[in-house]
Amino acid sequence: MKILKISALVLPLLISASCSKDFIDRPSLSGTTTGNYYNNAAEVRAATSTLYSGLPWRNYESRAQDAIGDVMSGNMFSYTDVEYLNFSLSSASERVGAAWGAFYKIIGYANVMIKTFEEKKANGGGAEYLDPAIAECHFIRGTIYFYIARTWGDAPIITDPGETALSGNFNIPRYFQKDVLRFALEELQLAEAKLPESDDPGRLTKYSAKGMMAKLYLYNKDYTNAKAKAQEVINSGKYSLVSDYNGMFTKASLNNNTESLFSIQHQFAVDPWGTGNIKNPDRGPSNLRTAEADAWEMYMPSLDLLNEYEFGDLRRKWSVMEHGWTNPNWKPQRANQPKYNEFMANGYKYDTIQPIDDGGAKNAVRANIAKYFAGPGKSYGGEPVLGQNSGNNVVLLRYADVLLIYAEATLGTNSSTTDASALQALNAVRARAGLPARTSFTLDQILHERRVEFAFEGDYWYDIQRQGYARAKAIIEKQNRGSFDGGPNYITTFTEDRMFVPVPAGEIIQDPELAKPAVPYYK
């Protein structure tokens, strides 16, 4: 196994060092050290901004997030990720390996920064800017371990790769999922204690930590603490629902809005190929492909999800393109296709009857995903796009989630509730969607709300999973995962071992302990 020496590095070296996929890798020893760097807030904040940027998250948010969070959950249909659609994925599955590599790479960055900043502080560095930076690292590390625990269940916990290297023992075991979740929670608690009340747009605050803690508590069915943390975010008055729902995901001008508690930061103008959002082509309809923007329909809405929307739910047209969907601002044009250009001259039309060559759209489910599709390019009335990249942030925690966490935590283990505060939280989300207020709600109704509210955001699989195997199996077996072209597809062989994805085969080869039963992390 390739092991790189540990040190504190400046931002460029943090990004470029260590190309191995080994999950205990970390930046190499070269260049600037703590003795002559990290001497002011600007240098420290430049380093921690790495943890937010698109580059280290790239291999997760590009396709792995979609395959695990939405294809596997039954929200997306895909020809390319059939193994996630049908639960036939193996330890050699590409998306599993990509997510693992991205997550442990980010953890490696956080580990190095925590150690570096703590050493700097011990040597007389400025606690006033080092403490918040350390807290940012704890938030990222805790959040990533929360994702890892929900994705793989039992998993390694690594906090000091330097110590691992010095010990000479590179056989890292998997720890029980409950211990990984406990570690994630402790990290978020450390973040909450030292993060500021407010900061620049896009930077973490203590309310980011509170919101993520509420989500983790809900996953653990700790309804009392989930409700309390969600309430703290609500009572802060710092967040609100954004009226332009679709714009949150498609307009760079709405990055870091009042609904966002934590987002992956994309900087299209700075480095589109390194930090741009690359969801655009995988979701866009092929009849919107232009010289500026690719679109090849790798992921599409599932028929089951389309059937989930209530009549009149505005989130359907904000999230999905179907026959009759239009955008008058988008005016795509193509060389040597006069009929296509004439059809689109007054704005984009999603038409499943029009011939394909003349501008029609007719894929397997007769629909496409609107979320995170920024359009055909700036020259054609859309957002700036360069091939596969746009400047839209990927939101991982937003205020709507906090409201629905509060509502569900208030429901708790009851069959239904008429609690006024819970209804207020739930109905705020429904009101934006143009739906009538509920006077009571059940768990099924709150799960429905979460499914359509966060569709295509990589979250629904974890909502299914946290219901436990029996209920998850029942949910999955009712879903139609087929298409108009291939017919219905119902899963009848879902087994408990599919509740988590397998550890990548390449990691097991390098670390055979990963194939063994999990052990306790806390003694």
Side-chain angles (χ1 to χ4, degrees):
M1 177 182 286
K2 178 183 176 185
I3 299 298
L4 303 178
K5 296 179 181 178
I6 189 168
S7 96
L9 302 176
V10 293
L11 181 61
L13 291 175
L14 267 172
I15 294 175
S16 64
S18 178
C19 296
S20 170
K21 293 181 180 178
D22 299 351
F23 68 89
I24 64 168
D25 273 5
R26 60 226 176 261
S28 62
L29 179 60
S30 64
T32 311
T33 63
T34 54
N36 54 20
Y37 206 70
Y38 303 129
N39 294 316
N40 56 59
E43 292 174 349
V44 170
R45 285 168 73 83
T48 57
S49 68
T50 311
L51 302 173
Y52 299 78
S53 76
L55 188 59
W57 290 85
R58 193 176 185 89
N59 285 345
Y60 166 65
E61 72 165 24
S62 173
R63 301 179 181 170
Q65 183 185 31
D66 294 325
I68 296 169
D70 280 299
V71 177
M72 211 157 71
S73 73
N75 276 357
M76 285 180 177
F77 176 83
S78 176
Y79 281 125
T80 56
D81 285 345
V82 175
E83 58 191 340
Y84 295 86
L85 195 68
N86 296 334
F87 292 99
S88 58
L89 68 160
S90 71
S91 59
S93 296
E94 181 180 358
R95 313 295 181 230
V96 168
W100 178 283
F103 286 155
Y104 279 103
K105 184 71 69 177
I106 297 168
I107 286 170
Y109 289 172
N111 286 341
V112 168
M113 289 186 197
I114 289 171
K115 186 175 181 66
T116 299
F117 298 155
E118 287 179 342
E119 288 176 355
K120 187 73 176 181
K121 199 170 75 164
N123 291 325
E128 69 277 7
Y129 58 82
L130 288 170
D131 280 344
I134 293 168
E136 285 180 291
C137 296
H138 283 301
F139 175 93
I140 295 295
R141 195 162 72 174
T143 296
I144 293 292
Y145 274 117
F146 183 30
Y147 272 96
I148 287 171
R150 292 179 295 168
T151 304
W152 286 276
D154 304 332
I157 298 174
I158 300 161
T159 60
D160 190 343
E163 183 179 343
T164 300
L166 290 172
S167 74
N169 178 14
F170 305 126
N171 292 320
I172 312 297
R174 290 182 303 135
Y175 297 106
F176 292 126
Q177 187 208 29
K178 64 181 180 66
D179 287 356
V180 182
L181 288 168
R182 175 180 165 183
F183 182 81
L185 177 60
E186 290 172 353
E187 288 292 291
L188 292 171
Q189 289 170 334
L190 290 171
E192 178 192 30
K194 294 294 185 178
L195 281 170
E197 286 273 335
S198 60
D199 206 328
D200 295 337
R203 305 291 302 209
L204 294 168
T205 71
K206 62 174 63 271
Y207 297 102
S208 306
K210 292 175 189 291
M212 195 63 73
M213 288 165 66
K215 197 172 181 73
L216 194 157
Y217 280 129
L218 187 73
Y219 185 87
N220 278 341
K221 296 182 171 57
D222 183 347
Y223 300 119
T224 299
N225 280 316
K227 180 178 179 179
K229 286 301 170 187
Q231 181 74 72
E232 289 178 36
V233 177
I234 294 168
N235 287 348
S236 75
K238 294 179 178 292
Y239 302 93
S240 61
L241 298 178
V242 172
S243 59
D244 188 355
Y245 180 97
N246 176 259
M248 283 195 291
F249 310 99
T250 59
K251 297 177 182 177
S253 61
L254 286 180
N255 284 346
N256 304 321
N257 55 66
T258 59
E259 189 164 338
S260 175
L261 278 78
F262 174 48
S263 298
I264 301 171
Q265 303 292 306
H266 288 292
Q267 298 172 299
F268 175 85
V270 177
D271 180 11
W273 294 104
T275 61
N277 180 332
I278 55 179
K279 289 185 180 292
N280 214 61
D282 291 347
R283 297 177 176 219
S286 59
N287 68 344
L288 259 174
R289 183 180 299 155
T290 66
E292 292 181 15
D294 288 324
W296 48 65
E297 308 182 271
M298 180 176 288
Y299 300 112
M300 295 163 270
S302 70
L303 296 179
D304 196 79
L305 175 67
L306 293 175
N307 192 52
E308 182 81 11
Y309 288 100
E310 297 170 61
F311 179 77
D313 191 336
L314 296 174
R315 288 169 295 197
R316 183 166 185 154
K317 71 175 183 179
W318 292 336
S319 303
V320 176
M321 301 180 196
E322 298 175 276
H323 183 76
W325 192 94
T326 62
N327 188 321
N329 297 317
W330 293 352
K331 297 180 181 180
Q333 297 286 280
R334 292 178 174 175
N336 303 318
Q337 287 189 248
K339 289 186 178 180
Y340 174 95
N341 294 339
E342 181 181 356
F343 185 67
M344 301 294 185
N346 295 316
Y348 176 73
K349 307 171 189 176
Y350 195 98
D351 191 313
T352 59
I353 300 174
Q354 180 81 358
I356 299 294
D357 290 342
D358 298 340
K362 192 176 181 181
N363 62 26
V365 296
R366 313 299 189 262
N368 280 92
I369 298 169
K371 268 185 184 177
Y372 289 119
F373 185 74
K378 188 175 182 179
S379 299
Y380 308 105
E383 290 279 301
V385 176
L386 179 59
Q388 301 179 39
N389 301 272
S390 69
N392 307 112
N393 288 350
V394 171
V395 187
L396 297 183
L397 181 65
R398 54 190 178 91
Y399 187 56
D401 202 349
V402 174
L403 291 173
L404 294 181
I405 289 169
Y406 179 84
E408 185 177 342
T410 303
L411 172 68
T413 58
N414 298 313
S415 58
S416 66
T417 185
T418 58
D419 181 89
S421 61
L423 286 167
Q424 183 179 19
L426 169 64
N427 287 330
V429 176
R430 288 178 60 81
R432 177 173 61 181
L435 295 174
R438 294 196 186 279
T439 56
S440 66
F441 65 88
T442 64
L443 178 60
D444 285 342
Q445 288 172 325
I446 201 80
L447 289 176
H448 154 80
E449 209 67 50
R450 292 188 61 84
R451 185 181 189 186
V452 294
E453 176 68 25
F454 306 114
F456 319 129
E457 296 180 47
D459 204 54
Y460 188 52
W461 170 246
Y462 303 122
D463 279 332
I464 292 176
Q465 183 200 76
R466 66 185 172 86
Q467 305 309 309
Y469 171 62
R471 186 176 176 85
K473 179 179 173 68
I475 291 171
I476 290 164
E477 290 183 344
K478 289 179 181 178
Q479 295 177 339
N480 177 11
R481 293 174 174 237
S483 67
F484 287 119
D485 294 345
N489 176 27
Y490 291 92
I491 304 298
T492 59
T493 56
F494 182 74
T495 52
E496 192 166 5
D497 63 323
R498 296 300 179 181
M499 291 286 282
F500 300 99
V501 305
V503 174
E507 300 295 340
I508 294 174
I509 291 172
Q510 296 177 86
D511 179 4
E513 290 294 313
L514 296 176
K516 297 180 181 179
V519 299
Y521 181 77
Y522 295 95
K523 307 302 181 183

